[in-house]
Amino acid sequence: MPAPEILYLGDSALTGAAGYLAGVLTHFKFRFDYVPSDQRVGEALLKSSRKLIILSDYPSRLLKSKQQKRFVDQVADGTGLLMIGGWESFHGMGGDWDGSVISSALPVTISKSDDRQNFDQPAVWVRQAEHPILDKLPWDRRPPTIGGLNRVKAKQ
């Protein structure tokens, strides 16, 4: 049987607050390999090409530069790369992805210091531009909300 098409790295436990992502993937019948944010990626998981690599609160210190390069090469060949989360995403508080090999494949420039912005109550998103990734969101019925974000800058 081929390896699952998604490699999901991060979030300390699938039973915790961040388990929603694994739930969504499972609900839509996506098969994925999972590595929690306190473990290194085993070489066996790196042998297969994936359609998507998810980094969600996964610290950069757990991926060797050679492993990050392998991911960046896969992205150059068409693999999707999604970085989400907070504490250990982007720079965060322990993510430290700024200046990493992976950061070169992201569409944003990452701060060299703590970039987390948390909100006391959910913040409502306001659509600023058209983009296919946003088309199916219910902007007129229930605008998306977020509880925090990482301050990053879009690359040219």
Side-chain angles (χ1 to χ4, degrees), residues 35-92:
V35 179
S37 60
D38 61 351
Q39 295 179 22
R40 292 192 177 277
V41 179
E43 287 298 317
L45 289 178
L46 297 173
K47 290 186 179 183
S48 300
S49 290
R50 309 296 177 132
K51 288 194 174 181
L52 175 63
I53 299 165
I54 299 172
L55 299 168
S56 178
D57 279 336
Y58 192 80
S60 64
R61 66 180 165 71
L62 294 181
L63 271 178
K64 299 174 186 169
S65 292
K66 183 173 102 175
Q67 294 172 319
Q68 290 185 37
K69 172 85 167 88
R70 188 175 296 163
F71 286 163
V72 169
D73 290 346
Q74 288 181 17
V75 169
D77 289 337
T79 296
L81 176 62
L82 173 65
M83 182 177 285
I84 56 175
W87 289 92
E88 293 176 313
S89 295
F90 301 100
H91 185 86

Side-chain angles (χ1 to χ4, degrees), residues 7-128:
L7 180 58
Y8 170 11
L9 308 179
D11 300 325
S12 55
L14 295 183
T15 57
Y20 72 90
L21 182 55
V24 168
L25 293 172
T26 301
H27 174 80
F28 287 101
K29 299 185 180 8
F30 290 109
R31 292 180 37 246
F32 61 93
D33 285 322
Y34 169 70
V35 179
S37 60
D38 61 351
Q39 295 179 22
R40 292 192 177 277
V41 179
E43 287 298 317
L45 289 178
L46 297 173
K47 290 186 179 183
S48 300
S49 290
R50 309 296 177 132
K51 288 194 174 181
L52 175 63
I53 299 165
I54 299 172
L55 299 168
S56 178
D57 279 336
Y58 192 80
S60 64
R61 66 180 165 71
L62 294 181
L63 271 178
K64 299 174 186 169
S65 292
K66 183 173 102 175
Q67 294 172 319
Q68 290 185 37
K69 172 85 167 88
R70 188 175 296 163
F71 286 163
V72 169
D73 290 346
Q74 288 181 17
V75 169
D77 289 337
T79 296
L81 176 62
L82 173 65
M83 182 177 285
I84 56 175
W87 289 92
E88 293 176 313
S89 295
F90 301 100
H91 185 86
M93 186 179 210
D96 301 323
W97 288 99
D98 52 295
S100 70
V101 176
I102 289 280
S103 71
S104 69
L106 295 172
V108 295
T109 300
I110 301 170
S111 173
K112 295 186 182 310
S113 60
D114 189 358
D115 56 5
R116 295 169 302 134
Q117 176 69 51
N118 296 309
F119 306 124
D120 293 340
Q121 297 179 14
V124 176
W125 283 36
V126 175
R127 189 177 195 156
Q128 296 293 314

